Amino acid sequence: MTDVRPFRPTDAEGVAALCRELGWPSFSDAEVAARACTAPGVFAWVAVESGGQGGRVVGFAQAFGDGVVQSYLAQLGVTATHRRGGVGRRLVEAVFAASGTQRMDLVTDDAEAFYRSFAHREKPGFRIYPDLPRPDA
């Protein structure tokens, strides 16, 4: 059984371990994960395996927003052993509901089919990196 609930600071090491498993260096440090998941305007939820694994974090989602109109799904990760069982959907629905917003945007590199399973509108977008050279430079 997998429980989906709000992130607690005690979940930080589990989130970091999941991110290391997924190859995501940004959240692979528990201190960074704790700070990022509890920052102002952030909504973070975890999926925790109950029973024999002693509450192991098997998924997490992090979103932020204005609490009224706009939110952004920044992170969604689920361990390979728990994919395709509804964990990711439950996490997205939980952070969206917690955000209290009318819409949620996101960027994905490889999960288009999953996100198309939600009611949605596709929009083009950009991810801006301040350290990259500008195209007109």
Side-chain angles (χ1 to χ4, degrees):
M1 174 116 176
T2 305
D3 296 320
V4 172
R5 60 165 173 74
F7 173 87
R8 300 174 189 151
T10 55
D11 297 322
E13 183 52 50
V15 168
L18 173 62
C19 290
R20 288 190 297 271
E21 176 185 330
L22 297 172
W24 297 357
S26 297
F27 277 62
S28 63
D29 178 272
E31 182 180 332
V32 171
R35 288 176 47 221
C37 289
T38 58
V42 169
F43 308 92
W45 284 63
V46 292
V48 179
E49 190 175 62
S50 55
Q53 292 293 325
R56 180 172 71 106
V57 173
V58 296
F60 93 104
Q62 179 214 37
F64 48 88
D66 61 20
V68 180
V69 176
Q70 178 61 43
S71 58
Y72 179 79
L73 180 64
Q75 304 283 338
L76 174 65
V78 177
T79 188
T81 58
H82 286 75
R83 290 185 193 143
R84 306 194 66 80
V87 172
R89 175 171 292 280
R90 289 171 55 206
L91 285 165
V92 171
E93 290 170 348
V95 295
F96 193 7
S99 76
T101 61
Q102 299 172 15
R103 66 178 183 243
M104 179 175 279
D105 292 334
L106 61 99
V107 174
T108 185
D109 292 330
D110 57 4
E112 291 86 355
F114 171 70
Y115 292 113
R116 283 185 180 120
S117 72
F118 292 88
H120 71 282
R121 290 189 184 122
E122 290 188 39
K123 305 268 185 188
F126 291 88
R127 181 171 283 172
I128 297 171
Y129 294 91
D131 57 336
L132 291 178
R134 289 178 44 167
D136 58 354

Coordinates of all heavy atoms in Angstrom, one line a residue, residues 5-103:
R5 N 0.9 11.9 1.0 CA 0.6 12.9 2.1 C 1.6 14.0 1.9 O 2.6 13.9 1.2 CB 0.8 12.2 3.5 CG 2.2 11.6 3.7 CD 2.5 11.3 5.1 NE 3.7 10.7 5.3 CZ 4.9 11.2 5.3 NH1 5.1 12.5 4.9 NH2 6.0 10.5 5.5
P6 N 1.3 15.1 2.6 CA 2.2 16.3 2.6 C 3.7 15.9 3.0 O 3.8 15.1 3.9 CB 1.6 17.3 3.5 CG 0.2 16.9 3.6 CD 0.2 15.4 3.5
F7 N 4.6 16.5 2.4 CA 6.0 16.4 2.8 C 6.2 16.8 4.2 O 5.7 17.8 4.7 CB 6.9 17.2 1.8 CG 8.4 17.3 2.2 CD1 9.2 16.3 1.7 CD2 8.9 18.3 3.0 CE1 10.6 16.3 2.1 CE2 10.2 18.3 3.4 CZ 11.1 17.3 2.9
R8 N 7.1 16.1 4.9 CA 7.5 16.4 6.3 C 9.0 16.5 6.2 O 9.7 15.8 5.5 CB 7.1 15.3 7.3 CG 5.7 15.1 7.4 CD 5.4 13.9 8.3 NE 4.0 13.5 8.3 CZ 3.5 12.3 8.5 NH1 4.4 11.3 8.8 NH2 2.3 12.1 8.4
P9 N 9.7 17.4 7.0 CA 11.1 17.4 7.0 C 11.8 16.1 7.2 O 12.9 15.9 6.7 CB 11.4 18.4 8.1 CG 10.2 19.3 8.2 CD 9.1 18.4 7.9
T10 N 11.2 15.2 7.9 CA 11.8 13.8 8.1 C 11.8 13.0 6.8 O 12.4 12.0 6.8 CB 11.0 13.1 9.2 OG1 9.6 13.0 8.9 CG2 11.2 13.7 10.6
D11 N 11.1 13.5 5.8 CA 11.1 12.8 4.5 C 12.2 13.2 3.6 O 12.4 12.6 2.5 CB 9.8 13.1 3.7 CG 8.5 12.6 4.4 OD1 8.6 11.5 5.0 OD2 7.5 13.4 4.4
A12 N 13.0 14.2 4.0 CA 14.1 14.7 3.1 C 15.1 13.7 2.7 O 15.5 13.7 1.5 CB 14.8 15.9 3.9
E13 N 15.5 12.8 3.6 CA 16.5 11.8 3.1 C 15.9 10.9 2.1 O 16.5 10.4 1.2 CB 17.1 11.1 4.3 CG 18.2 10.0 3.9 CD 19.3 10.6 3.1 OE1 19.8 11.7 3.4 OE2 19.6 10.0 2.0
G14 N 14.6 10.5 2.3 CA 13.9 9.6 1.4 C 13.8 10.3 0.0 O 13.9 9.6 -1.0
V15 N 13.4 11.6 0.0 CA 13.3 12.3 -1.3 C 14.7 12.3 -1.9 O 14.8 12.1 -3.2 CB 12.8 13.7 -1.1 CG1 12.9 14.5 -2.3 CG2 11.3 13.6 -0.7
A16 N 15.8 12.6 -1.2 CA 17.1 12.7 -1.7 C 17.5 11.3 -2.3 O 18.1 11.3 -3.4 CB 18.1 13.2 -0.7
A17 N 17.2 10.3 -1.6 CA 17.6 8.9 -2.1 C 16.8 8.6 -3.4 O 17.4 8.0 -4.3 CB 17.2 7.9 -1.0
L18 N 15.6 9.0 -3.4 CA 14.8 8.8 -4.7 C 15.4 9.6 -5.8 O 15.6 9.0 -6.9 CB 13.4 9.2 -4.5 CG 12.5 9.2 -5.7 CD1 12.4 7.8 -6.3 CD2 11.1 9.7 -5.4
C19 N 15.8 10.8 -5.6 CA 16.4 11.6 -6.6 C 17.8 11.1 -7.1 O 18.1 11.1 -8.3 CB 16.5 13.1 -6.1 SG 14.9 13.9 -6.0
R20 N 18.5 10.5 -6.1 CA 19.8 9.9 -6.5 C 19.5 8.7 -7.4 O 20.1 8.4 -8.4 CB 20.6 9.4 -5.3 CG 21.2 10.6 -4.6 CD 22.2 10.2 -3.5 NE 21.6 9.4 -2.4 CZ 21.1 9.9 -1.3 NH1 21.1 11.2 -1.1 NH2 20.6 9.1 -0.4
E21 N 18.5 7.9 -7.1 CA 18.1 6.7 -7.9 C 17.7 7.2 -9.3 O 18.0 6.5 -10.3 CB 16.9 6.0 -7.2 CG 16.3 4.8 -8.0 CD 15.1 4.2 -7.3 OE1 15.0 4.3 -6.0 OE2 14.2 3.7 -8.0
L22 N 17.0 8.3 -9.4 CA 16.5 8.8 -10.7 C 17.6 9.5 -11.4 O 17.3 9.9 -12.6 CB 15.3 9.7 -10.4 CG 14.0 9.0 -9.8 CD1 13.0 10.1 -9.5 CD2 13.5 8.0 -10.8
G23 N 18.7 9.8 -10.8 CA 19.8 10.5 -11.5 C 19.6 12.0 -11.5 O 20.0 12.7 -12.4
W24 N 18.9 12.6 -10.5 CA 18.6 14.0 -10.4 C 19.5 14.6 -9.4 O 19.2 14.6 -8.2 CB 17.1 14.2 -10.0 CG 16.1 13.7 -11.0 CD1 16.3 13.1 -12.2 CD2 14.7 13.7 -10.8 NE1 15.1 12.8 -12.8 CE2 14.1 13.2 -11.9 CE3 13.9 14.2 -9.8 CZ2 12.7 13.0 -12.1 CZ3 12.5 14.1 -9.9 CH2 11.9 13.5 -11.0
P25 N 20.6 15.2 -9.8 CA 21.5 15.7 -8.8 C 21.0 16.9 -8.0 O 21.4 17.1 -6.9 CB 22.7 16.2 -9.7 CG 22.2 16.3 -11.1 CD 21.0 15.4 -11.2
S26 N 20.1 17.7 -8.5 CA 19.7 18.9 -7.8 C 19.1 18.6 -6.4 O 19.2 19.4 -5.5 CB 18.6 19.7 -8.6 OG 19.2 20.1 -9.8
F27 N 18.3 17.5 -6.3 CA 17.6 17.2 -5.0 C 18.3 16.0 -4.3 O 17.7 15.5 -3.4 CB 16.2 16.9 -5.3 CG 15.3 18.1 -5.4 CD1 15.5 19.1 -6.4 CD2 14.3 18.3 -4.5 CE1 14.7 20.2 -6.5 CE2 13.4 19.4 -4.6 CZ 13.6 20.4 -5.5
S28 N 19.5 15.6 -4.7 CA 20.1 14.4 -4.2 C 20.7 14.6 -2.8 O 21.1 13.7 -2.2 CB 21.1 13.9 -5.1 OG 22.2 14.8 -5.3
D29 N 20.7 15.9 -2.3 CA 21.2 16.2 -1.0 C 20.0 16.4 -0.1 O 19.1 17.2 -0.4 CB 22.1 17.4 -1.0 CG 22.6 17.8 0.3 OD1 21.9 18.6 1.0 OD2 23.7 17.4 0.7
A30 N 19.9 15.7 1.0 CA 18.7 15.8 1.9 C 18.5 17.3 2.4 O 17.4 17.7 2.5 CB 18.9 14.9 3.1
E31 N 19.6 18.0 2.7 CA 19.4 19.4 3.1 C 18.7 20.3 2.1 O 17.8 21.0 2.3 CB 20.7 20.0 3.6 CG 20.6 21.4 4.1 CD 21.9 22.0 4.5 OE1 22.8 21.3 4.9 OE2 22.0 23.2 4.5
V32 N 19.2 20.1 0.8 CA 18.6 20.8 -0.3 C 17.2 20.4 -0.5 O 16.3 21.3 -0.7 CB 19.4 20.6 -1.6 CG1 18.7 21.2 -2.8 CG2 20.8 21.2 -1.4
A33 N 16.9 19.1 -0.4 CA 15.5 18.6 -0.6 C 14.6 19.2 0.5 O 13.5 19.7 0.2 CB 15.5 17.1 -0.6
A34 N 15.1 19.2 1.7 CA 14.3 19.8 2.8 C 14.0 21.2 2.6 O 12.8 21.7 2.8 CB 15.0 19.5 4.1
R35 N 15.0 22.0 2.3 CA 14.8 23.5 2.1 C 13.9 23.7 0.9 O 13.0 24.6 1.0 CB 16.2 24.1 1.9 CG 17.0 24.2 3.2 CD 18.4 24.8 3.0 NE 18.4 26.0 2.3 CZ 19.3 26.3 1.4 NH1 20.3 25.5 1.2 NH2 19.3 27.4 0.7
A36 N 14.1 23.0 -0.2 CA 13.3 23.2 -1.4 C 11.8 22.8 -1.2 O 10.9 23.4 -1.8 CB 13.9 22.5 -2.6
C37 N 11.6 21.8 -0.4 CA 10.2 21.3 -0.3 C 9.4 22.0 0.8 O 8.2 21.8 1.0 CB 10.2 19.8 0.1 SG 10.7 18.8 -1.4
T38 N 10.1 22.9 1.6 CA 9.5 23.7 2.6 C 9.6 25.2 2.4 O 9.2 26.0 3.3 CB 10.0 23.3 4.0 OG1 11.4 23.6 4.0 CG2 9.8 21.9 4.4
A39 N 10.1 25.6 1.2 CA 10.2 27.0 0.9 C 8.8 27.7 0.8 O 7.8 27.0 0.5 CB 11.0 27.2 -0.4
P40 N 8.8 29.0 1.1 CA 7.5 29.7 0.9 C 6.9 29.5 -0.5 O 7.6 29.6 -1.5 CB 7.9 31.2 1.1 CG 9.2 31.1 1.9 CD 9.9 29.9 1.5
G41 N 5.6 29.3 -0.5 CA 4.9 29.1 -1.8 C 5.1 27.7 -2.4 O 4.6 27.5 -3.5
V42 N 5.7 26.8 -1.7 CA 5.9 25.5 -2.3 C 4.9 24.5 -1.7 O 4.6 24.6 -0.5 CB 7.4 25.0 -2.0 CG1 7.6 23.5 -2.3 CG2 8.4 25.8 -2.8
F43 N 4.5 23.6 -2.5 CA 3.6 22.5 -2.1 C 4.3 21.2 -2.5 O 4.6 21.0 -3.6 CB 2.3 22.6 -2.8 CG 1.6 24.0 -2.7 CD1 1.9 24.9 -3.7 CD2 0.9 24.3 -1.6 CE1 1.3 26.2 -3.5 CE2 0.3 25.6 -1.5 CZ 0.6 26.5 -2.5
A44 N 4.7 20.4 -1.5 CA 5.4 19.2 -1.7 C 4.6 18.0 -1.0 O 4.2 18.2 0.1 CB 6.8 19.3 -1.2
W45 N 4.5 17.0 -1.8 CA 3.8 15.8 -1.3 C 4.7 14.6 -1.6 O 5.5 14.6 -2.5 CB 2.5 15.6 -2.0 CG 1.4 16.5 -1.4 CD1 1.5 17.9 -1.5 CD2 0.3 16.2 -0.7 NE1 0.4 18.4 -0.9 CE2 -0.4 17.4 -0.4 CE3 -0.3 15.0 -0.3 CZ2 -1.6 17.4 0.3 CZ3 -1.5 15.0 0.3 CH2 -2.2 16.2 0.6
V46 N 4.6 13.6 -0.7 CA 5.4 12.3 -0.9 C 4.4 11.1 -1.0 O 3.3 11.2 -0.5 CB 6.4 12.1 0.2 CG1 7.5 13.1 0.2 CG2 5.7 12.0 1.6
A47 N 4.9 10.1 -1.7 CA 4.2 8.8 -1.7 C 5.1 7.9 -0.9 O 6.3 7.8 -1.1 CB 4.1 8.3 -3.1
V48 N 4.5 7.3 0.2 CA 5.3 6.5 1.1 C 4.7 5.1 1.1 O 3.5 4.9 1.3 CB 5.2 7.2 2.5 CG1 6.0 6.3 3.6 CG2 5.8 8.6 2.5
E49 N 5.6 4.2 1.0 CA 5.2 2.8 1.0 C 5.0 2.4 2.4 O 5.9 2.5 3.3 CB 6.4 1.9 0.4 CG 6.0 0.5 0.1 CD 7.2 -0.2 -0.6 OE1 8.2 -0.2 0.0 OE2 6.9 -0.6 -1.7
S50 N 3.8 2.0 2.7 CA 3.5 1.5 4.1 C 3.7 0.0 4.2 O 3.8 -0.7 3.2 CB 2.1 1.9 4.5 OG 1.2 1.4 3.6
G51 N 3.8 -0.4 5.4 CA 4.0 -1.9 5.6 C 5.5 -2.2 5.8 O 6.2 -1.5 6.4
G52 N 5.9 -3.3 5.1 CA 7.2 -3.9 5.3 C 8.4 -3.0 5.0 O 9.5 -3.3 5.6
Q53 N 8.3 -2.0 4.2 CA 9.5 -1.2 3.9 C 9.6 0.0 4.9 O 10.6 0.8 4.8 CB 9.3 -0.6 2.5 CG 9.4 -1.6 1.4 CD 10.8 -2.2 1.3 OE1 11.8 -1.5 1.5 NE2 10.9 -3.5 1.0
G54 N 8.8 0.1 5.9 CA 9.0 1.0 7.0 C 8.8 2.5 6.5 O 9.5 3.4 7.0
G55 N 7.9 2.8 5.6 CA 7.7 4.1 5.2 C 8.7 4.7 4.2 O 8.9 5.9 4.2
R56 N 9.2 3.9 3.3 CA 10.1 4.3 2.3 C 9.4 5.3 1.3 O 8.4 5.0 0.8 CB 10.7 3.1 1.6 CG 11.7 3.5 0.5 CD 12.4 2.2 -0.1 NE 11.5 1.4 -0.9 CZ 11.5 1.4 -2.2 NH1 12.4 2.0 -2.9 NH2 10.6 0.6 -2.8
V57 N 10.1 6.4 1.0 CA 9.6 7.4 0.0 C 9.7 6.7 -1.4 O 10.9 6.4 -1.8 CB 10.3 8.7 0.1 CG1 9.9 9.6 -1.1 CG2 10.0 9.4 1.4
V58 N 8.6 6.5 -2.1 CA 8.7 5.9 -3.4 C 8.3 6.9 -4.5 O 8.3 6.6 -5.7 CB 7.8 4.7 -3.5 CG1 8.4 3.6 -2.6 CG2 6.4 4.9 -3.2
G59 N 7.9 8.2 -4.1 CA 7.6 9.2 -5.0 C 7.4 10.5 -4.3 O 7.2 10.6 -3.1
F60 N 7.6 11.6 -5.1 CA 7.4 12.9 -4.6 C 7.0 13.9 -5.7 O 7.4 13.7 -6.8 CB 8.6 13.4 -3.7 CG 9.6 14.2 -4.5 CD1 9.6 15.6 -4.3 CD2 10.5 13.6 -5.3 CE1 10.6 16.4 -5.0 CE2 11.4 14.4 -6.0 CZ 11.5 15.8 -5.9
A61 N 6.3 14.9 -5.3 CA 6.0 16.0 -6.2 C 6.2 17.3 -5.5 O 5.9 17.4 -4.3 CB 4.5 15.9 -6.7
Q62 N 6.7 18.3 -6.3 CA 6.9 19.6 -5.8 C 6.3 20.6 -6.8 O 6.6 20.5 -8.0 CB 8.4 19.9 -5.6 CG 8.7 21.3 -5.0 CD 9.9 21.9 -5.6 OE1 10.3 21.6 -6.7 NE2 10.7 22.6 -4.7
A63 N 5.5 21.5 -6.3 CA 4.9 22.6 -7.1 C 5.0 23.9 -6.3 O 5.1 23.9 -5.1 CB 3.4 22.3 -7.4
F64 N 4.8 25.0 -7.0 CA 4.8 26.3 -6.4 C 3.8 27.1 -7.2 O 3.5 26.9 -8.3 CB 6.1 26.9 -6.2 CG 7.0 26.9 -7.5 CD1 6.9 28.0 -8.4 CD2 7.9 25.9 -7.7 CE1 7.7 27.9 -9.5 CE2 8.7 25.9 -8.8 CZ 8.6 26.9 -9.8
G65 N 3.2 28.1 -6.5 CA 2.3 29.0 -7.2 C 1.8 30.2 -6.4 O 2.3 30.4 -5.2
D66 N 0.9 30.9 -6.9 CA 0.4 32.1 -6.3 C -0.8 31.8 -5.4 O -1.3 32.7 -4.7 CB 0.1 33.2 -7.3 CG -1.0 32.8 -8.3 OD1 -1.8 31.8 -8.0 OD2 -1.1 33.4 -9.4
G67 N -1.3 30.6 -5.3 CA -2.4 30.3 -4.4 C -3.7 30.7 -5.0 O -4.7 30.4 -4.3
V68 N -3.8 31.2 -6.2 CA -5.0 31.7 -6.7 C -5.2 31.2 -8.1 O -6.1 30.5 -8.4 CB -5.1 33.3 -6.7 CG1 -6.4 33.7 -7.3 CG2 -4.9 33.8 -5.3
V69 N -4.4 31.7 -9.1 CA -4.5 31.3 -10.5 C -3.5 30.3 -11.0 O -3.9 29.3 -11.6 CB -4.5 32.7 -11.3 CG1 -4.5 32.3 -12.8 CG2 -5.6 33.6 -10.9
Q70 N -2.2 30.6 -10.8 CA -1.2 29.9 -11.5 C -0.3 29.1 -10.5 O 0.1 29.6 -9.5 CB -0.3 31.0 -12.2 CG 0.9 30.4 -12.9 CD 0.5 29.4 -14.0 OE1 -0.4 29.7 -14.8 NE2 1.2 28.3 -14.1
S71 N 0.0 27.8 -10.9 CA 1.0 27.0 -10.2 C 1.8 26.3 -11.3 O 1.5 26.3 -12.5 CB 0.3 26.0 -9.3 OG -0.6 25.2 -10.0
Y72 N 2.9 25.8 -10.8 CA 3.9 25.2 -11.7 C 4.4 23.9 -11.0 O 4.8 23.9 -9.9 CB 5.1 26.1 -11.9 CG 6.1 25.5 -12.8 CD1 6.0 25.5 -14.2 CD2 7.3 24.9 -12.3 CE1 7.0 24.9 -15.0 CE2 8.2 24.3 -13.1 CZ 8.1 24.3 -14.4 OH 9.0 23.7 -15.2
L73 N 4.2 22.8 -11.8 CA 4.7 21.5 -11.3 C 6.2 21.4 -11.6 O 6.6 21.3 -12.8 CB 4.0 20.3 -11.9 CG 4.4 18.9 -11.5 CD1 4.2 18.7 -10.0 CD2 3.7 17.9 -12.4
A74 N 7.0 21.5 -10.6 CA 8.5 21.6 -10.8 C 9.1 20.2 -10.8 O 10.1 20.0 -11.5 CB 9.1 22.5 -9.7
Q75 N 8.7 19.3 -9.9 CA 9.3 18.0 -9.8 C 8.2 17.0 -9.7 O 7.2 17.2 -8.9 CB 10.2 17.9 -8.6 CG 11.2 18.9 -8.5 CD 12.4 18.6 -9.3 OE1 12.7 17.5 -9.7 NE2 13.2 19.6 -9.7
L76 N 8.3 15.8 -10.3 CA 7.5 14.6 -10.1 C 8.4 13.5 -10.3 O 9.0 13.3 -11.4 CB 6.3 14.6 -11.0 CG 5.5 13.3 -10.9 CD1 4.9 13.1 -9.5 CD2 4.5 13.2 -12.0
G77 N 8.6 12.7 -9.3 CA 9.5 11.5 -9.5 C 8.9 10.3 -8.7 O 8.4 10.4 -7.6
V78 N 8.9 9.2 -9.4 CA 8.4 7.9 -8.8 C 9.4 6.8 -9.1 O 9.9 6.7 -10.2 CB 7.0 7.5 -9.4 CG1 6.5 6.2 -8.9 CG2 6.0 8.6 -9.1
T79 N 9.7 6.1 -8.1 CA 10.7 5.0 -8.3 C 10.1 4.0 -9.3 O 8.9 3.8 -9.4 CB 11.0 4.3 -6.9 OG1 12.0 3.3 -7.1 CG2 9.8 3.6 -6.4
A80 N 11.0 3.3 -10.0 CA 10.6 2.5 -11.1 C 9.7 1.3 -10.7 O 8.8 1.0 -11.4 CB 11.9 1.8 -11.8
T81 N 9.9 0.9 -9.5 CA 9.0 -0.2 -9.0 C 7.6 0.2 -8.7 O 6.7 -0.7 -8.5 CB 9.6 -0.8 -7.7 OG1 9.7 0.2 -6.7 CG2 11.0 -1.5 -8.0
H82 N 7.3 1.5 -8.6 CA 6.0 2.0 -8.3 C 5.3 2.8 -9.5 O 4.3 3.4 -9.3 CB 6.0 2.8 -7.0 CG 6.2 2.0 -5.8 ND1 7.4 1.4 -5.5 CD2 5.3 1.6 -4.9 CE1 7.3 0.7 -4.4 NE2 6.0 0.8 -4.0
R83 N 5.9 2.7 -10.6 CA 5.3 3.4 -11.8 C 4.2 2.6 -12.4 O 4.1 1.4 -12.2 CB 6.4 3.7 -12.9 CG 7.4 4.7 -12.4 CD 8.4 5.0 -13.5 NE 9.4 5.8 -12.9 CZ 10.7 5.7 -13.3 NH1 11.1 4.9 -14.2 NH2 11.6 6.4 -12.6
R84 N 3.3 3.3 -13.0 CA 2.2 2.7 -13.7 C 1.1 2.1 -12.8 O 0.4 1.2 -13.1 CB 2.6 1.7 -14.8 CG 3.6 2.4 -15.8 CD 3.8 1.6 -17.0 NE 2.6 1.5 -17.8 CZ 2.2 2.4 -18.7 NH1 2.9 3.5 -18.8 NH2 1.1 2.2 -19.4
G85 N 1.1 2.6 -11.5 CA 0.2 2.1 -10.5 C -0.7 3.2 -9.9 O -1.3 3.0 -8.9
G86 N -0.6 4.4 -10.5 CA -1.4 5.5 -10.0 C -0.7 6.4 -9.0 O -1.3 7.5 -8.6
V87 N 0.5 6.1 -8.6 CA 1.2 7.0 -7.7 C 1.5 8.4 -8.2 O 1.2 9.4 -7.6 CB 2.5 6.3 -7.2 CG1 3.4 7.2 -6.3 CG2 2.2 5.0 -6.4
G88 N 2.0 8.4 -9.4 CA 2.3 9.7 -10.0 C 1.1 10.6 -10.2 O 1.1 11.8 -9.9
R89 N 0.0 10.0 -10.6 CA -1.3 10.7 -10.8 C -1.8 11.2 -9.4 O -2.2 12.4 -9.3 CB -2.4 9.8 -11.4 CG -3.7 10.5 -11.5 CD -4.7 9.6 -12.3 NE -4.3 9.6 -13.7 CZ -4.5 10.6 -14.6 NH1 -5.2 11.7 -14.2 NH2 -4.1 10.5 -15.8
R90 N -1.7 10.4 -8.4 CA -2.2 10.8 -7.1 C -1.3 12.0 -6.6 O -1.8 12.9 -6.0 CB -2.1 9.7 -6.1 CG -3.2 8.6 -6.4 CD -3.1 7.4 -5.6 NE -3.1 7.6 -4.2 CZ -2.5 6.8 -3.3 NH1 -1.9 5.7 -3.7 NH2 -2.5 7.1 -2.0
L91 N 0.0 12.0 -6.8 CA 0.9 13.0 -6.4 C 0.6 14.3 -7.1 O 0.5 15.4 -6.5 CB 2.4 12.7 -6.6 CG 2.9 11.7 -5.6 CD1 4.2 11.1 -6.1 CD2 3.1 12.3 -4.3
V92 N 0.4 14.3 -8.5 CA 0.0 15.5 -9.2 C -1.3 16.0 -8.7 O -1.4 17.2 -8.5 CB 0.0 15.2 -10.7 CG1 -0.6 16.4 -11.5 CG2 1.4 14.8 -11.3
E93 N -2.3 15.2 -8.6 CA -3.6 15.7 -8.1 C -3.5 16.3 -6.7 O -4.1 17.3 -6.4 CB -4.6 14.5 -8.1 CG -5.0 14.1 -9.5 CD -5.8 12.8 -9.6 OE1 -5.9 12.1 -8.6 OE2 -6.3 12.5 -10.7
A94 N -2.6 15.7 -5.8 CA -2.5 16.2 -4.5 C -1.8 17.6 -4.5 O -2.3 18.5 -3.8 CB -1.7 15.3 -3.6
V95 N -0.7 17.8 -5.2 CA -0.1 19.1 -5.2 C -0.9 20.1 -5.9 O -0.9 21.3 -5.5 CB 1.4 19.1 -5.7 CG1 2.3 18.3 -4.8 CG2 1.5 18.7 -7.1
F96 N -1.6 19.7 -6.9 CA -2.5 20.7 -7.6 C -3.6 21.2 -6.7 O -3.9 22.4 -6.5 CB -3.1 20.0 -8.9 CG -3.7 21.0 -9.8 CD1 -3.7 22.4 -9.7 CD2 -4.4 20.5 -10.9 CE1 -4.3 23.2 -10.6 CE2 -5.0 21.3 -11.9 CZ -5.0 22.7 -11.7
A97 N -4.3 20.2 -6.0 CA -5.3 20.6 -5.0 C -4.7 21.5 -3.9 O -5.3 22.5 -3.5 CB -6.0 19.4 -4.5
A98 N -3.6 21.1 -3.4 CA -3.0 21.9 -2.3 C -2.6 23.3 -2.7 O -2.6 24.2 -1.9 CB -1.7 21.1 -1.8
S99 N -2.3 23.5 -4.0 CA -1.9 24.8 -4.5 C -3.0 25.8 -4.5 O -2.8 27.0 -4.5 CB -1.2 24.7 -5.9 OG -2.2 24.5 -6.9
G100 N -4.2 25.3 -4.6 CA -5.4 26.1 -4.6 C -5.5 27.0 -5.9 O -6.2 28.0 -5.9
T101 N -4.9 26.5 -7.0 CA -4.9 27.3 -8.2 C -5.8 26.8 -9.3 O -6.3 25.6 -9.1 CB -3.4 27.4 -8.8 OG1 -3.0 26.1 -9.1 CG2 -2.5 28.1 -7.8
Q102 N -6.1 27.6 -10.3 CA -6.9 27.2 -11.4 C -6.2 26.4 -12.5 O -6.9 25.7 -13.2 CB -7.5 28.5 -12.0 CG -8.4 29.3 -11.1 CD -8.8 30.6 -11.7 OE1 -8.7 30.8 -12.9 NE2 -9.2 31.5 -10.8
R103 N -4.9 26.6 -12.6 CA -4.2 25.9 -13.6 C -2.8 25.6 -13.1 O -2.3 26.2 -12.2 CB -4.2 26.7 -14.9 CG -3.4 27.9 -14.8 CD -3.3 28.7 -16.1 NE -2.5 29.9 -16.0 CZ -2.9 31.1 -16.2 NH1 -4.2 31.3 -16.5 NH2 -2.1 32.1 -16.1

